[in-house]
Amino acid sequence: MLNVYRMEFTWYLLASWGVISAYIAWRPKLRNDASLFVFLIMSMAETIQFTMLALELKWIDYLKTPEAFINILLLRNVLRPVLYLFAASAFVQWTGWRRWSVLLGTLLSRHVVTWLSVRAGLIELVKINDWHVALLDVAHVALACFAAVGFLRYTRPKEAAG
Amino acid sequence: MTVWDHGGWNANEWFVLGFTLLGFGLVWLLPRRFTRSASTLFVLFGAYFGVLFDHAIAVEPFDFYDVNDTSAFTFMDFVTYVMYGPFGYVFLYIYDRLGLPKRWAPAYILVWTAFAIALEGWGAKLGVFHYKNGYEFDYSSSVYLTLQICMLGLYYGMRRGRTPNAK
């Protein structure tokens, strides 16, 4: 029987697509190549961080079924990296309260995604708590912003200089 | 944790280090054909796919293969991802240099897929890759085919969206 409450994969897929469409509709100043660079870097950072925390340090644990892992992949490699694009774009194009409000929004969104993953049983925080997760949120958002700035300085030195 | 090799520095490490140096040497020495932006993305894309696949199908619950000496994530595994990067660049560099019409792109992908399979086979023989849980070396061809189609998609996407101020 059809059970709409057991369609996690579809929900996560649509949520990821929703975040991508929101970013495109937002018409950010960060050009496509810089957006792609930040996406790739952050997707790699999230991936390596997950492996380190789950398999090497054992700070987190995760549900080791194929169905659950595919959901984790969607969150880790698509949804979260797209979230960072908002922060990176705001960091590059704005100053003042607009910049900081988008950065804070991205931090909160990442925290909520982690919290939802824990609630859904996809991951379990074993040796870390919410404060550690908050530090990871800050580290990832900062990495995304610096990656965008670094890429722009390297590829468009005149534009970056003003 | 599965330990495949206790021997320290041997053939698999030489393979990874050799191809990493050769790859980045080529990126450095070949005359420039692309903008800085395109070159960076072409190198990064190869490494990205390596990380994506290794951390998706080579960890639990799938756990289809291990990279280098142990099933744990080691520094040499990280160098292996770095090694993947220049292959993407050289793949697109030669494609651009040859100036092949689009109808020859599938044939070009075929040649590179054969080359990539041969290289992976050599790597597996030297202990870079260790297959398990029903995964066969045979299946890697689909990964390379997908990756190279995506690489050419990126190449044409970058050409279409080329920015005049990009250096």
Side-chain angles (χ1 to χ4, degrees):
Chain A
M1 196 181 140
L2 187 70
N3 185 350
V4 290
Y5 298 106
R6 295 291 306 275
M7 290 173 63
E8 289 95 346
F9 175 74
T10 303
W11 295 125
Y12 289 130
L13 183 68
L14 293 181
S16 304
W17 191 253
V19 178
I20 293 169
S21 51
Y23 180 69
I24 293 169
W26 189 43
R27 296 176 70 185
K29 203 180 171 189
L30 204 60
R31 290 213 181 108
N32 289 347
D33 57 343
S35 295
L36 182 60
F37 177 80
V38 173
F39 175 83
L40 295 177
I41 287 284
M42 294 317 295
S43 190
M44 286 164 73
E46 282 279 357
T47 303
I48 291 172
Q49 176 230 249
F50 184 87
T51 304
M52 291 304 292
L53 294 186
L55 299 172
E56 303 305 320
L57 301 169
K58 314 274 186 203
W59 287 3
I60 61 170
D61 198 7
Y62 66 100
L63 203 55
K64 294 180 182 72
T65 63
E67 299 83 4
F69 192 63
I70 286 168
N71 293 338
I72 290 172
L73 288 181
L74 262 179
L75 295 176
R76 186 185 82 180
N77 291 104
V78 184
L79 194 142
R80 276 177 165 180
V82 180
L83 277 179
Y84 300 125
L85 295 178
F86 287 95
S89 201
F91 191 77
V92 166
Q93 66 182 316
W94 290 328
T95 53
W97 69 270
R98 284 209 296 180
R99 173 196 270 190
W100 295 110
S101 57
V102 176
L103 257 58
L104 190 64
T106 309
L107 283 172
L108 286 174
S109 306
R110 189 188 188 274
H111 204 81
V112 167
V113 171
T114 307
W115 180 72
L116 286 174
S117 314
V118 174
R119 281 284 300 261
L122 293 177
I123 61 167
E124 185 192 349
L125 307 181
V126 180
K127 290 184 193 167
I128 56 174
N129 59 33
D130 272 351
W131 289 106
H132 298 109
V133 174
L135 282 176
L136 286 173
D137 297 338
V138 173
H140 279 85
V141 171
L143 178 64
C145 295
F146 293 135
V149 171
F151 182 80
L152 291 176
R153 281 200 181 153
Y154 178 66
T155 57
R156 303 167 177 86
K158 284 179 193 163
E159 202 175 300
Chain B
M1 181 177 76
T2 313
V3 179
W4 297 95
D5 177 19
H6 293 281
W9 191 274
N10 42 38
N12 61 308
E13 282 86 4
W14 280 118
F15 179 91
V16 172
L17 187 69
F19 274 102
T20 306
L21 293 176
L22 179 72
F24 279 97
L26 282 173
V27 172
W28 184 259
L29 294 173
L30 285 171
R32 262 181 63 184
R33 292 192 71 81
F34 306 120
T35 60
R36 277 185 176 184
S37 160
S39 301
T40 308
L41 287 172
F42 294 162
V43 171
L44 191 64
F45 210 63
Y48 170 75
F49 259 81
V51 172
L52 189 70
F53 277 102
D54 283 2
H55 291 253
I57 61 171
V59 297
E60 284 184 280
F62 303 110
D63 205 10
F64 285 145
Y65 58 91
D66 289 336
V67 181
N68 292 312
D69 294 348
T70 68
S71 58
F73 182 63
T74 61
F75 177 71
M76 223 44 212
D77 294 359
F78 181 75
V79 180
T80 309
Y81 307 138
V82 175
M83 175 188 78
Y84 295 141
F87 282 106
Y89 179 86
V90 175
F91 168 76
L92 292 175
Y93 187 95
I94 297 174
Y95 184 77
D96 191 68
R97 178 80 180 77
L98 292 174
L100 291 172
K102 272 185 189 168
R103 69 176 189 280
W104 282 100
Y108 185 74
I109 288 173
L110 186 71
V111 171
W112 268 84
T113 301
F115 170 67
I117 292 167
L119 214 57
E120 185 183 317
W122 188 22
K125 229 174 167 51
L126 297 180
V128 180
F129 307 104
H130 310 271
Y131 308 108
K132 55 188 193 178
N133 296 330
Y135 187 85
E136 304 276 345
F137 163 57
D138 197 21
Y139 306 148
S140 297
S141 50
S142 57
V143 174
Y144 294 119
L145 213 58
T146 310
L147 166 63
Q148 285 160 17
I149 290 167
C150 292
M151 288 292 303
L152 278 186
L154 176 69
Y155 169 77
Y156 282 111
M158 293 290 294
R159 267 170 49 130
R160 202 173 50 240
R162 192 172 282 170
T163 49
N165 56 350
K167 291 261 164 144

